[in-house]
Amino acid sequence: MEKKPHFVRREFLPREVPSISLALLLAAVLLLNVLLYLYLNKFYSSLGRVETDPGLCPFGHFKFGAVKNCSPWLSCEAINREVRKLKCVGEGAVKKVFLSEWKEKKVVLSQLTNSELKEDFLHGLKMLKALQSKHVVRLLGYCEQQFTILTEYHPLGSLRGLNETLHIPKYKGMNTWHRRLMLAIDYVSVIRYLHSSPLGTLVMCDSNDLDKVLSQYLLTSDFHVLVNDLDALPLVNRSAGRLVKCGHRELRGEFVAPEQRWPYGEDVPFQDDLMPPYDEKTDIWKIPDVSNFFLGHVEGSDIVRLHLFDIHAACKKKDPAERPSAQEVLDTYRKVLTLLVREAAMPGTREML
């Protein structure tokens, strides 16, 4: 009889402990979900910074560095008087680029080098003015008469140097699947912006190979992606039956979309006037290859690729009409990020429950 109370206690305690543990576990899961929600909400707010960022200046103005007030774009006179060239840092088919200085700040001065391509240069300037946003490099001034453009300087340079940058000790902490996926999201956000821009649906034509694509974009010091070169950005207008062709020469290779390749075989010589035009879905075809570069070969990147397999397969549909829109790709990328961040924050939670 004296052992009975002892027996009851031994039977009762194991029932109580799991219920308390379960309550604590559920509370922890709830807290982690709240923290995850706050983090992703902040992240997505930064992704939607194009139209809603209160820091954007009115058209024709810019804000530089920590300065609070907006200033008008610099004129020819101001550029000639106040901007000092330091050194040439690049040269392409259209323009030469100089690291320069303005009011003790580093800036970039671009000047036309080939007078035969002045229309391309002026088109790039027109796009740069019209598309100013957090997706596009900041315009500081220009001089049409002298074919000169002044833009903000980003010391990390173009995306071609991304892997080298991530191996610098200062930035090694950024070399994770999470940060790399966020850069890919930035890139797709730029494509989405161009496809639904204030000017209409624009196609990124300077994209015939991966190296060329990467050279068109800049990596900011806070690890965001900006489009920098807008010289080749034709407009698609389906309602008016207006499609595009990226240049007047034959394009080859698997990187460019099937509809950008000569469709009549090797036996028929290429003729530009016989080449069918196409639309913005050429940009969608290239997204998987560019994203693959972004993801690199860090721990976890293969898991990201696995989650993106279906959307990337859809991007590679031979029929352009069957490919997703840039918005659909962006939505999928964001969902994958949300899923993987949740799984990283709460490993094994599902099995525990």
Side-chain angles (χ1 to χ4, degrees):
M1 293 294 292
E2 292 179 357
K3 293 184 179 181
K4 188 173 182 180
H6 181 63
F7 175 77
V8 171
R9 283 196 302 270
R10 290 182 63 186
E11 185 180 42
F12 176 74
L13 284 174
R15 294 175 182 268
E16 285 294 320
V17 172
S19 63
I20 294 172
S21 299
L22 184 59
L24 291 173
L25 179 60
L26 290 172
V29 170
L30 180 61
L31 178 60
L32 283 171
N33 272 294
V34 170
L35 293 174
L36 181 64
Y37 169 79
L38 293 173
Y39 166 77
L40 292 172
N41 185 58
K42 180 180 179 182
F43 171 66
Y44 290 144
S45 295
S46 70
L47 288 177
R49 60 194 184 279
V50 181
E51 293 83 13
T52 60
D53 184 5
L56 285 177
C57 293
F59 181 80
H61 295 73
F62 70 93
K63 191 187 295 184
F64 197 61
V67 177
K68 293 183 179 181
N69 298 326
C70 294
S71 302
W73 287 333
L74 300 185
S75 63
C76 296
E77 181 184 359
I79 291 175
N80 292 332
R81 184 180 66 249
E82 301 172 12
V83 177
R84 181 171 65 95
K85 291 181 185 175
L86 298 178
K87 64 178 180 179
C88 179
V89 292
E91 183 173 3
V94 179
K95 53 186 178 286
K96 186 178 288 188
V97 180
F98 297 89
L99 174 62
S100 305
E101 192 175 59
W102 174 70
K103 294 187 176 181
E104 300 182 346
K105 295 181 178 70
K106 296 290 191 299
V107 293
V108 174
L109 188 72
S110 302
Q111 292 184 318
L112 178 69
T113 55
N114 186 346
S115 59
E116 294 180 0
L117 298 175
K118 64 181 180 181
E119 292 303 320
D120 292 340
F121 184 90
L122 293 176
H123 176 75
L125 173 58
K126 177 184 175 183
M127 294 293 104
L128 195 54
K129 290 192 291 183
L131 298 176
Q132 281 297 287
S133 72
K134 289 293 184 177
H135 287 314
V136 179
V137 68
R138 187 171 299 162
L139 177 64
L140 307 179
Y142 64 92
C143 180
E144 285 194 36
Q145 297 94 312
Q146 297 173 9
F147 297 99
T148 299
I149 299 173
L150 191 71
T151 54
E152 190 173 12
Y153 172 63
H154 293 280
L156 295 183
S158 80
L159 288 176
R160 283 189 295 191
L162 174 63
N163 288 324
E164 290 75 11
T165 297
L166 289 171
H167 283 94
I168 298 173
K170 180 181 177 181
Y171 298 111
K172 277 190 174 181
M174 297 286 195
N175 196 17
T176 64
W177 69 263
H178 176 256
R179 177 60 63 173
R180 284 175 170 272
L181 178 55
M182 288 173 69
L183 288 175
I185 289 174
D186 260 4
Y187 165 72
V188 177
S189 296
V190 174
I191 299 299
R192 187 278 312 268
Y193 176 63
L194 294 178
H195 288 185
S196 57
S197 82
L199 300 176
T201 301
L202 300 168
V203 181
M204 194 66 176
C205 266
D206 258 345
S207 56
N208 298 335
D209 58 64
L210 178 61
D211 192 65
K212 186 64 174 175
V213 170
L214 298 175
S215 71
Q216 309 301 304
Y217 295 86
L218 295 171
L219 179 64
T220 69
S221 297
D222 59 349
F223 272 69
H224 282 291
V225 174
L226 298 177
V227 63
N228 181 51
D229 196 330
L230 304 174
D231 294 344
L233 212 60
L235 179 69
V236 169
N237 188 338
R238 283 194 188 81
S239 61
R242 180 178 176 180
L243 300 177
V244 304
K245 287 192 286 186
C246 291
H248 304 287
R249 293 179 291 182
E250 183 178 1
L251 301 179
R252 296 176 178 268
E254 292 299 314
F255 188 82
V256 296
E259 64 270 23
Q260 292 184 281
R261 303 171 210 154
W262 179 243
Y264 302 117
E266 295 289 340
D267 296 335
V268 180
F270 177 82
Q271 295 183 56
D272 182 46
D273 57 342
L274 296 180
M275 180 67 198
Y278 34 84
D279 61 18
E280 77 280 3
K281 290 298 184 72
T282 57
D283 289 334
I284 305 300
W285 171 273
K286 299 161 189 173
I287 286 176
D289 299 288
V290 181
S291 289
N292 188 55
F293 167 81
F294 277 120
L295 293 175
H297 300 285
V298 298
E299 183 180 355
S301 62
D302 287 341
I303 298 298
V304 179
R305 287 186 179 91
L306 182 63
H307 281 81
L308 295 177
F309 180 85
D310 288 342
I311 191 67
H312 283 173
C315 290
K316 290 294 187 179
K317 294 281 189 180
K318 188 172 182 180
D319 182 356
E322 294 181 5
R323 295 173 206 154
S325 67
Q327 183 64 62
E328 290 170 325
V329 178
L330 181 58
D331 290 343
T332 301
Y333 273 41
R334 289 174 172 174
K335 288 176 183 176
V336 168
L337 176 66
T338 301
L339 173 66
L340 293 178
V341 168
R342 182 182 291 121
E343 289 183 352
M346 298 177 290
T349 301
R350 184 177 303 170
E351 290 77 5
M352 293 171 68
L353 292 174

